[in-house]
Amino acid sequence: MQSGFPEKARVYRKLFATPDALPARMLLTLMTEDAREQMVPAALAGERLDRALARMFPEYSRTRLKDWLLEGGVTVDGGARRPKDVVTGGELVRLQPQSSLAVTSEPEAIDLEVVHEDDSVMVVNKPPGLVVHPGAGNLRGTLMNGLLHRVPALADLPRAGIVHRLDKDTSGLLLIGKTLEAHTALVRQMSAREISRHYVAVCTGVLTGGGTIDAPIARHPVDRLRMSVQDGGKPAVTHYRVLQRFAAHTYISVRLESGRTHQIRVHFAWRRHPILGDPVYGGRLALPAGAGERLKETLRRFRRQALHASQLAFKHPASGETVRVEAPLPADFAELLEVLGEDNNA
């Protein structure tokens, strides 16, 4: 498939009923790369074709390579093959990366707190209230807009290099791959659960100790904007330990083993210890009996989930060395802990 005006026009018509429906300041481009050819190394003899492709073309994800194979974008010795077919070594593989639609918003000069950056990787400490990806009603002022301004080359990468996401009102560390090779390697680490992500949170109620929540998560059957614990959902495992107990709340450290949408928020709400301030899963604010006036006022003003991505550890895609990054608590979260502690000792 070659890119060009007729092809772009067909894509635009598919996405939007009329040219006027194209959202303001949104850019749509079709990207096509040159075909590549490579012999299957003898060392890969006996491997499934999809696995061999992932070894031969590590700059692309296995999922993308498999899709291209099924779409006819990969041939072996001039013919079509199935992902499960076994290679013997010496076959000529021709890879034609298929055109893909890149949808991004325009670069914007947004102040981003970068806590680690090199030629391959960037880690940003996202403040609460900042949307990560553009979407309906949020085409401007997102983290992606700021990244595209800081590193224009990210426009050529999936999701502008963003490896994972945080909810709008969750603060903390976000990982970005700055090259296609780095982004692919980091996505694979994430899929293999090789990236360590730690959070801190304040939940309602007093926990007696740490533990593990192992409960599958799926889209809520009625409210499609929410997630819920359901039999048949995707596996989700959350480990936690108690950092400090207060009169009616608990400060906890959380480690994700999986990474489902809203996982921490859903799991603790399911355990009837929702994250403090969570507007979706937390229910109505309940002021603790006997709480002081400062605590009551602080709880009323804290209108987001008390959840912060505090630590991140991953293998650097270029050097192979382990990179560990930490982010301090944002001001509102630090104040919340201070007031909870004062009230606890009153």
Side-chain angles (χ1 to χ4, degrees):
M1 184 185 298
Q2 296 183 353
S3 63
F5 179 78
E7 176 60 32
K8 290 183 180 181
R10 284 194 293 272
V11 173
Y12 292 161
R13 284 196 296 269
K14 183 177 180 181
L15 286 175
F16 306 104
T18 68
D20 293 338
L22 185 65
R25 307 185 67 82
M26 179 171 278
L27 307 176
L28 289 87
T29 58
L30 281 167
M31 300 184 298
T32 305
E33 301 177 41
D34 294 333
R36 302 173 58 181
E37 292 186 347
Q38 190 176 146
M39 302 289 288
V40 177
L44 296 181
E47 287 279 8
R48 285 172 51 118
L49 176 57
D50 55 353
R51 293 174 183 163
L53 291 174
R55 297 279 297 277
M56 294 166 63
F57 304 100
E59 64 270 33
Y60 302 111
S61 69
R62 183 177 297 178
T63 299
R64 182 176 295 185
L65 289 167
K66 183 177 180 180
D67 288 343
W68 289 341
L69 179 61
L70 295 173
E71 294 168 0
V74 179
T75 59
V76 179
D77 288 337
R81 296 287 182 87
R82 298 171 300 176
K84 67 179 181 179
D85 288 343
V86 175
V87 298
T88 58
E91 299 98 326
L92 178 62
V93 174
R94 187 176 192 275
L95 169 66
Q96 174 59 73
Q98 301 297 291
S99 297
S100 60
L101 185 67
V103 182
T104 64
S105 287
E106 290 185 357
E108 292 182 58
I110 296 174
D111 187 25
L112 299 176
E113 183 184 350
V114 177
V115 295
H116 173 90
E117 185 174 15
D118 54 49
D119 291 341
S120 302
V121 175
M122 182 191 307
V123 182
V124 173
N125 183 18
K126 187 187 85 68
L130 180 64
V131 174
V132 174
H133 297 105
N138 291 299
L139 296 180
R140 304 186 63 182
T142 72
L143 177 76
M144 183 181 286
N145 295 100
L147 289 174
L148 291 172
H149 180 270
R150 184 182 178 93
V151 186
L154 292 176
D156 295 331
L157 302 186
R159 298 184 180 181
I162 299 171
V163 175
H164 58 114
R165 58 162 292 178
L166 292 176
D167 298 325
K168 173 185 175 182
D169 290 326
T170 297
S171 57
L173 298 171
L174 267 174
L175 180 60
I176 297 101
K178 295 175 62 177
T179 66
L180 181 59
E181 293 79 6
H183 181 261
T184 300
L186 292 170
V187 168
R188 286 179 175 169
Q189 287 185 46
M190 186 68 70
S191 298
R193 301 180 180 179
E194 295 172 349
I195 295 180
S196 175
R197 290 177 291 163
H198 285 79
Y199 295 71
V200 289
V202 175
C203 67
T204 59
V206 181
L207 299 177
T208 57
T212 295
I213 303 174
D214 185 350
I217 292 176
R219 184 77 53 186
H220 194 282
V222 177
D223 185 349
R224 306 307 290 173
L225 298 179
R226 294 161 55 101
M227 309 298 289
S228 61
V229 170
Q230 297 180 48
D231 292 336
K234 294 182 179 180
V237 179
T238 302
H239 305 282
Y240 65 95
R241 62 187 178 89
V242 173
L243 297 177
Q244 188 175 0
R245 297 181 183 88
F246 305 107
H249 301 88
T250 308
Y251 182 37
I252 54 176
S253 172
V254 182
R255 179 174 65 85
L256 289 181
E257 188 172 311
S258 50
R260 308 304 174 200
T261 301
H262 299 173
Q263 179 172 320
I264 295 173
R265 299 164 63 190
V266 171
H267 270 172
F268 280 91
W270 180 66
R271 281 287 185 90
R272 299 186 180 181
H273 290 285
I275 303 302
L276 174 64
D278 193 329
V280 177
Y281 302 99
R284 297 180 61 181
L285 173 64
L287 298 175
E293 288 304 316
R294 188 183 178 199
L295 176 58
K296 290 179 181 179
E297 180 58 27
T298 301
L299 293 176
R300 291 190 185 102
R301 285 190 288 106
F302 203 92
R303 305 300 294 271
R304 69 175 184 94
Q305 59 267 14
L307 183 61
H308 174 69
S310 58
Q311 298 179 40
L312 189 65
F314 58 93
K315 182 187 296 184
H316 194 280
S319 69
E321 297 180 355
T322 299
V323 178
R324 302 182 187 277
V325 187
E326 295 188 13
L329 291 173
D332 64 340
F333 201 131
E335 181 189 13
L336 173 66
L337 289 178
E338 177 188 347
V339 176
L340 284 169
E342 289 178 355
D343 193 81
N344 207 42
N345 297 323

